[in-house]
Amino acid sequence: LAKTTQPISMDSYEGQEVNITCSHNNIATNDYITWYQQFPSQGPRFIIQGYKTKVTNEVASLFIPADRKSSTLSLPRVSLSDTAVYYCLVGDMGGSNYKLTFGKGTLLTVNP
Amino acid sequence: GAGVSQSPSNKVTEKGKDVELRCDPISGHTALYWYRQSLGQGLEFLIYFQGNSAPDKSGLPSDRFSAERTGGSVSTLTIQRTQQEDSAVYLCASSLRQGPDTQYFGPGTRLTVL
């Protein structure tokens, strides 16, 4: 099971691009990288998932270098409503290890 | 379509009592997950169901915790003889199939053990 490390908190301002990096040095060959967003009193919400290189959707981009030992979630032009905790998850959801663990996440605060 | 639902949304109980938490996954989702989130902590995986089977229950913190799933749909997490350290938000998620698939979370059940 790959352990992940991400910053505890980050501050930004409306309209800025925010990049949150997650380290996962022990990532395994079959592991995918998934990011979730969580608002207070709500369950986590899927943002994006990738295996290598770059993935982009209508919400964010995910950059994964060739060695896959880290990944960066990029949020373009954040707004106040993007203030939330962001979790990086690394796991093989199709293999024999079902014990997926989320870390403490990164609290992103977007200021006006 | 409806998302994952959980009930009750809040549960306050006394130490030593048993509680049952319910999860209704998205219709057609074969995989179901239970997680626990304590105040200020990250998500902790508890158990995973594929259909009605739980391939690995090692995430359950003690033998006071048990879970079952019937009809490949509804799941119940039972905590016997609750302790104060069991207080947390219990989250359920489901995904369409086994594999690297998106997990959709419910709103959670906030359990408080007095």
Side-chain angles (χ1 to χ4, degrees):
Chain A
L1 181 67
K3 179 182 177 181
T4 61
T5 302
Q6 30 179 149
I8 297 296
S9 64
M10 294 182 67
D11 280 282
S12 182
Y13 293 91
E14 284 190 289
Q16 289 188 331
E17 177 185 80
V18 172
N19 296 310
I20 306 175
T21 297
C22 178
S23 298
H24 28 80
N25 292 320
N26 296 325
I27 189 169
T29 302
N30 294 330
D31 286 345
Y32 279 72
I33 301 159
T34 310
W35 285 81
Y36 284 83
Q37 174 192 57
Q38 187 176 26
F39 299 110
S41 301
Q42 294 186 27
R45 182 176 73 103
F46 171 86
I47 299 177
I48 198 166
Q49 184 179 73
Y51 183 81
K52 62 180 179 180
T53 62
K54 177 183 175 182
V55 179
T56 298
N57 61 22
E58 64 278 7
V59 177
S61 294
L62 179 60
F63 297 92
I64 305 169
D67 65 7
R68 305 204 319 128
K69 293 184 182 300
S70 66
S71 58
T72 299
L73 174 72
S74 180
L75 305 173
R77 298 179 301 281
V78 294
S79 63
L80 296 177
S81 63
D82 292 318
T83 294
V85 178
Y86 292 81
Y87 293 98
C88 169
L89 168 65
V90 176
D92 171 14
M93 289 175 274
S96 60
N97 185 0
Y98 303 102
K99 200 170 184 176
L100 305 179
T101 303
F102 289 52
K104 293 188 177 181
T106 298
L107 173 60
L108 172 64
T109 303
V110 180
N111 301 292
Chain B
V4 178
S5 61
Q6 294 185 245
S7 61
S9 56
N10 282 284
K11 177 70 176 178
V12 179
T13 189
E14 295 180 347
K15 178 181 174 181
K17 295 289 181 65
D18 297 351
V19 296
E20 281 191 356
L21 312 179
R22 176 187 170 104
C23 172
D24 282 273
I26 294 173
S27 178
H29 280 196
T30 63
L32 185 148
Y33 310 80
W34 282 99
Y35 295 87
R36 178 169 72 171
Q37 187 172 36
S38 302
L39 186 63
Q41 301 296 314
L43 288 176
E44 174 189 5
F45 169 81
L46 298 179
I47 189 170
Y48 159 80
F49 284 93
Q50 181 59 39
N52 293 334
S53 300
D56 189 344
K57 304 177 181 179
S58 62
L60 297 177
S62 76
D63 58 8
R64 297 185 294 105
F65 288 71
S66 63
E68 65 175 11
R69 188 180 185 194
T70 56
S73 180
V74 172
S75 177
T76 302
L77 177 68
T78 301
I79 309 174
Q80 296 178 311
R81 306 181 301 282
T82 53
Q83 303 294 313
Q84 288 184 333
E85 61 263 28
D86 298 334
S87 295
V89 176
Y90 289 82
L91 289 156
C92 174
S94 69
S95 63
L96 183 60
R97 59 185 182 274
Q98 180 183 352
D101 201 5
T102 302
Q103 294 184 31
Y104 296 89
F105 283 81
T109 294
R110 181 175 298 278
L111 174 66
T112 303
V113 182
L114 302 176

